[in-house]
Amino acid sequence: MAVPDHLQRHLDQGKRLRQGRHGRFAPSPTGRLHLGNLRTALVSWLQARCEGATWLLRIDDLDTPRNRPGAIEAIEADLQWLGLHWDGPVIRQSRRRGQYGSWLSWLRRSGALFPCRCSRRQLEGQPIYPGTCRDGDRGWGWQQQRLPSWRLRVPPQDPCGSGDVVLRRADGFVAYQLATVIDDISFGITDVVRGEDLRVAEAAQRSVFAALGWMPPRFHYVPLLCNERGEKLSKREASAGLAPLQQAGLDSAAVVGQLAAGLGLVPRGSRLSAQDLLADLTHRGFHASLS
Ligand code: GLU
């Protein structure tokens, strides 16, 4: 089934942009960025700038109950303070719901999706969706006060091994897997640099890219930063962000030095601006070290 004109225009725009190089950093505004997020932002920015790519800031604010007031402003301020300046206007997913909705309707009409009534409990312990609702006629409407989720039919022999990916959640929210793929297509993203915790999302995203006939970007992962107890940092731990360092009197050169030293890019105790780090790494051929 042919893609309708207005959706074809998104694809055409993506194709045009894809002739250049584009990276992006896409935090969810669930709190202030912690040092692990900032380290990922730094690597993403360095990777883009070393490649002469643009670097976009996208705010993944679709899951509104998890958004925290003031988080977007704090994210922007922290990136600016570190000297990680993005190109163009900030992209807010909450303003792009119309686009995601149009893609969902088209995918549904073309038979690429099926409604699924499985509860989280039913699927517990199954790493890949077992196809329970794939071939039944589960209906669109309310049943037992619940709407279905909508899953993409992924061929069982699919090399991504993602199973049938949820594109619209049962609570009505557009799933992250769909929104992120539509955005990466529309903005012609060629390189995604993100935290290691998102590696598990890659297979599902590759399946969505394949369903839309699109070549996925290159994915790179930055190791997660842990606290002294060896646990992964969370945005809810306010103590893990820039604020305590700023209160202790550290300037951005000291913090960039600390983040870069943690990545093994500069010796401990280095002080340098993001721009100086970029110049140093460009000189040393940093882009070759990101696989
Ligand atoms: N918003 C997602 C997160 O913060 C990341 C999206 C992505 O980089 O693909 O976990």
Side-chain angles (χ1 to χ4, degrees):
M1 199 170 126
V3 178
D5 285 352
H6 66 291
L7 296 181
Q8 187 58 47
R9 280 200 291 277
H10 294 177
L11 297 177
D12 292 343
Q13 176 196 313
K15 265 189 210 127
R16 262 196 314 279
L17 287 167
R18 236 193 153 159
Q19 289 162 7
R21 299 287 301 263
H22 305 281
R24 47 78 162 177
F25 177 59
S28 305
T30 50
R32 238 182 128 155
L33 298 175
H34 57 61
L35 289 182
N37 303 134
L38 290 166
R39 184 163 89 161
T40 301
L42 176 65
V43 178
S44 172
W45 179 85
L46 287 168
Q47 192 274 340
R49 296 310 187 209
C50 280
E51 301 278 347
T54 58
W55 190 64
L56 308 180
L57 175 60
R58 184 183 90 202
I59 303 288
D60 288 358
D61 57 351
L62 283 183
D63 194 347
T64 37
R66 298 183 64 227
N67 294 345
R68 289 284 160 272
I72 298 179
E73 294 74 11
I75 289 170
E76 292 176 7
D78 285 353
L79 294 175
Q80 304 271 25
W81 189 81
L82 283 175
L84 306 182
H85 304 294
W86 56 91
D87 296 300
V90 176
I91 302 157
R92 297 267 300 261
Q93 286 197 323
S94 58
R95 308 221 167 114
R96 294 174 45 76
R97 287 203 174 95
Q99 294 228 22
Y100 312 136
S102 306
W103 277 105
L104 268 176
S105 313
W106 176 73
L107 286 165
R108 194 149 49 190
R109 281 202 311 279
S110 64
L113 309 186
F114 65 90
C116 171
R117 301 269 172 192
C118 296
S119 65
R120 200 168 288 178
R121 174 121 49 88
Q122 274 168 295
L123 297 176
E124 212 163 79
Q126 315 236 30
I128 293 183
Y129 177 70
T132 322
C133 298
R134 197 167 223 269
D135 301 314
D137 181 6
R138 306 284 164 155
W140 292 45
W142 293 93
Q143 282 176 23
Q144 289 157 350
Q145 293 162 355
R146 278 174 62 87
L147 283 171
S149 60
W150 285 84
R151 288 182 182 267
L152 177 69
R153 250 174 235 288
V154 177
Q157 69 282 10
D158 180 74
C160 306
S162 67
D164 300 324
V165 185
V166 172
L167 297 193
R168 206 193 75 164
R169 294 165 19 180
D171 58 11
F173 283 100
V174 172
Y176 152 68
Q177 310 289 17
L178 178 69
T180 192
V181 168
I182 300 287
D183 289 345
D184 287 343
I185 290 176
S186 305
F187 295 96
I189 299 300
T190 48
D191 291 88
V192 169
V193 178
R194 55 189 178 184
E196 184 61 44
D197 52 336
L198 284 159
R199 193 184 285 274
V200 290
E202 186 181 317
Q205 287 164 26
R206 285 185 179 275
S207 295
V208 182
F209 278 114
L212 298 175
W214 200 264
M215 168 97 116
R218 274 173 290 261
F219 293 106
H220 315 273
Y221 295 94
V222 181
L224 299 182
L225 197 63
C226 294
N227 62 18
E228 321 71 72
R229 294 186 298 282
E231 300 150 352
K232 170 183 146 186
L233 297 183
S234 120
K235 287 211 195 82
R236 281 175 293 275
E237 288 175 73
S239 60
L242 275 186
L245 302 180
Q246 291 168 327
Q247 277 149 22
L250 267 68
D251 62 5
S252 62
V255 177
V256 168
Q258 187 177 319
L259 293 173
L263 289 157
L265 297 173
V266 294
R268 295 228 163 260
S270 299
R271 285 178 46 84
L272 75 180
S273 68
Q275 272 305 333
D276 288 342
L277 178 61
L278 172 64
D280 183 31
L281 295 178
T282 311
H283 186 66
R284 282 156 45 192
F286 168 72
H287 59 282
S289 71
L290 255 182
S291 59

